[in-house]
Each structure stands twice: as structure tokens, then as C-alpha cells.
Amino acid sequence: MNKTINNQRYVSLIKWLVDARKEQGLTVRQFAERIDESHQFVNKVETFQRKLNVYEYVQYCEALGLEPTEGLSFLRKN
């Protein structure tokens, strides 16, 4: 089982979330306010210094209007 935060599939998932945030014109600080977290939290997630757990991932998706199951496809790719 590969648990590294730099796993390419996990990197693709986070990039998908970052792209969605940017497409909506949200800064890190604006998005952090939306999810009631610090901008440091968002920055750490987006720079691969911190992993999202499943619950946080779903909250992230909901705040961006994304379907969580769509993002999971990045983790299921070979």
C-alpha cells in the first residue's frame, strides 16, 4: 500500500481541487473562509504538506460544488 503524499494519483486529486478553486476565482484565503479553516490549512493541503482525510475531502468538494465521486477517479486510476 502506497501511503506517500506525493503519490501521483493523490497529486492529481489535489490539483483537480486547486483547479476548481481557481476556476471559481477564489483565493486561498477566500476558500479558507468558505470552509471555516485557516488559510494555512488550505495552503498546506494544496502544497502537499498535509493530507486531506475523507471527511475533509468531502467538505472541500461540497464547498466547491464538486461531486466527491468524480474526484475519486483520480485515486482509482492505474
Side-chain angles (χ1 to χ4, degrees):
M1 184 180 312
N2 188 342
K3 295 182 181 182
T4 178
I5 198 164
N6 294 319
N7 176 282
Q8 188 55 45
R9 294 183 293 181
Y10 182 76
V11 169
S12 296
L13 174 69
I14 298 304
K15 286 184 178 181
W16 176 69
L17 293 171
V18 172
D19 289 345
R21 176 185 61 75
K22 289 179 179 179
E23 285 174 9
Q24 294 181 28
L26 295 169
T27 66
V28 168
R29 286 182 186 268
Q30 290 168 329
F31 183 68
E33 287 178 19
R34 183 179 284 191
I35 62 172
D36 196 29
E37 287 287 350
S38 69
H39 70 278
Q40 293 97 335
F41 169 86
V42 174
N43 187 58
K44 285 181 180 181
V45 168
E46 293 186 0
T47 59
F48 309 103
Q49 296 175 39
R50 184 190 186 287
K51 277 187 179 181
L52 284 177
N53 67 38
V54 174
Y55 181 71
E56 292 166 338
Y57 167 71
V58 171
Q59 288 182 309
Y60 226 90
C61 288
E62 288 174 347
L64 291 169
L66 301 173
E67 179 58 46
T69 56
E70 185 180 342
L72 294 177
S73 66
F74 293 103
L75 298 178
R76 297 190 69 196
K77 288 182 182 177
N78 294 330

